[in-house]
Amino acid sequence: MKMDINKLAEHFARTSFQVEQVCRYVREPGLSCDDYTEPFPGFVFPLRGKAEFDFSGTSYTLAPGHVVHGGARMSLNRRVLGNAGWEYLLVLYRVCAPEPSGFSLSKTHFQLTPGQSPRLTELLELLWRSSGEPGGISAFQTETLFRCVLEELFVCVRNQSSDGEQALFEQVSRYIHEHYMDGLSVRALAEQNDINENRLFYVFKKYAGMGPGKYLMAYRLNRAKECLLANDAPIGEVAKSVGYADALYFSRIFKKQAGVSPAEFRGRFRNNPYGFQDGSIPL
């Protein structure tokens, strides 16, 4: 079943629910069984390996980066695929009050594709540990962590969609424009947005024609060019103002991209407005 992630998130936001059980399972290669789901709906979070889940004739292939939701008391066939063991976390939850819209979580199965999210993996580990601890505080932490898991899941799924990709690009590029003078890195930008570096590179390549590292460098150098033409600040100060602590390194990459050193650029184009009318530096 295809699921609108925004509508699903809104449904959970308006539904009263609580964690019923958190289980961690390991299944051997080749294992297959026919059964029914638990009396509660739940999410299956793959940790390693690969399996096929069939809910009443609808099949889903599960592996890390894919999550499936199953309703309560549904016909279920499970089969471990490949030669590796299959490990997953099952989170069952109870719907505590009538649901607000036209479909019921307890009667619905669907698959979500969040991709690989280190933060989601970390939250699942914390959820698993918390669920096994006694006491009211641990129970409260379990409820809180499950909601954090759902939030991360929904955000990651949104970011995997075409609309989410554009929103992600706009969000990260806007952050670069506002913080280019800081010590930014591709890894930090990816972690800040709960995605891996490969995903960030794909999105920037799609919408900017270059990776995020090159995009950051180009933006910094364009701001440096404006600064060089606007005032007589030393090259070292210009470098620091656009995020480069090492003036020699700044001068080297500037010359590589612009074809001239920062000082030569200033001398050649400061009084020549026709040199780079569009404000860009060739990449």
Side-chain angles (χ1 to χ4, degrees):
M1 175 179 179
K2 187 175 178 58
M3 182 60 62
D4 184 317
I5 193 62
N6 288 306
K7 290 183 179 179
L8 179 63
E10 182 179 1
H11 191 82
F12 268 97
R14 298 178 182 276
T15 299
S16 176
F17 62 95
Q18 67 180 49
V19 176
E20 186 67 26
Q21 193 174 6
V22 180
C23 306
R24 192 168 191 159
Y25 295 107
V26 178
R27 299 292 186 241
E28 296 302 315
L31 181 68
S32 179
C33 64
D34 296 323
D35 204 347
Y36 287 87
T37 60
E38 301 288 343
F40 307 100
F43 286 90
V44 176
F45 296 93
L47 301 176
R48 65 180 177 91
K50 193 174 183 180
E52 182 180 66
F53 276 39
D54 186 302
F55 292 93
S56 305
T58 302
S59 295
Y60 301 101
T61 300
L62 286 176
H66 301 267
V67 174
V68 74
H69 177 276
R73 298 186 176 90
M74 287 184 168
S75 173
L76 173 63
N77 175 266
R78 293 169 290 183
R79 182 165 63 97
V80 179
L81 304 176
N83 299 319
W86 158 247
E87 184 175 2
Y88 63 97
L89 201 70
L90 172 64
V91 184
L92 302 173
Y93 64 93
R94 180 193 299 269
V95 178
C96 302
E99 296 178 76
S101 66
F103 80 96
S104 169
L105 291 166
S106 296
K107 299 177 181 178
T108 306
H109 58 78
F110 54 84
Q111 187 173 45
L112 301 174
T113 306
Q116 299 284 3
S117 167
R119 175 166 168 75
L120 181 58
T121 301
E122 178 185 0
L123 288 170
L124 289 171
E125 184 64 32
L126 292 172
L127 175 64
W128 164 241
R129 293 179 184 176
S130 176
S131 68
E133 296 293 328
I137 293 179
S138 294
F140 180 81
Q141 289 174 334
T142 298
E143 296 294 335
T144 302
L145 284 166
F146 181 48
R147 283 157 177 78
C148 290
V149 165
L150 291 180
E151 178 188 11
E152 178 67 13
L153 174 63
F154 297 156
V155 169
C156 288
V157 171
R158 182 200 63 188
N159 287 345
Q160 293 289 332
S161 68
S162 295
D163 290 342
E165 287 176 354
Q166 184 170 1
L168 176 64
F169 170 73
E170 291 174 355
Q171 177 176 310
V172 177
S173 60
R174 182 168 57 250
Y175 187 86
I176 288 174
H177 297 171
E178 294 172 354
H179 299 274
Y180 65 90
M181 70 294 294
D182 299 332
L184 302 182
S185 69
V186 174
R187 174 176 293 183
L189 290 170
E191 291 177 351
Q192 181 178 312
N193 291 276
D194 297 326
I195 56 174
N196 61 44
E197 294 179 48
N198 289 338
R199 181 65 181 169
L200 188 60
F201 182 87
Y202 169 81
V203 169
F204 266 75
K205 192 71 175 176
K206 179 176 180 179
Y207 289 98
M210 65 184 77
K214 194 169 184 179
Y215 184 95
L216 171 61
M217 179 187 69
Y219 193 83
R220 282 172 164 171
L221 294 183
N222 282 331
R223 300 290 73 75
K225 186 202 68 165
E226 292 175 355
C227 186
L228 288 166
L229 298 183
N231 58 61
D232 293 316
I235 302 302
E237 288 185 14
V238 173
K240 290 180 180 178
S241 73
V242 296
Y244 293 104
D246 187 334
L248 291 178
Y249 175 72
F250 164 73
S251 295
R252 187 162 59 249
I253 63 171
F254 188 101
K255 184 172 184 177
K256 181 177 180 181
Q257 299 301 321
V260 293
S261 71
E264 290 171 329
F265 180 90
R266 173 183 275 163
R268 183 179 301 180
F269 297 107
R270 188 163 192 174
N271 297 314
N272 179 11
Y274 302 103
F276 291 92
Q277 282 186 322
D278 64 356
S280 64
I281 295 176
L283 295 177

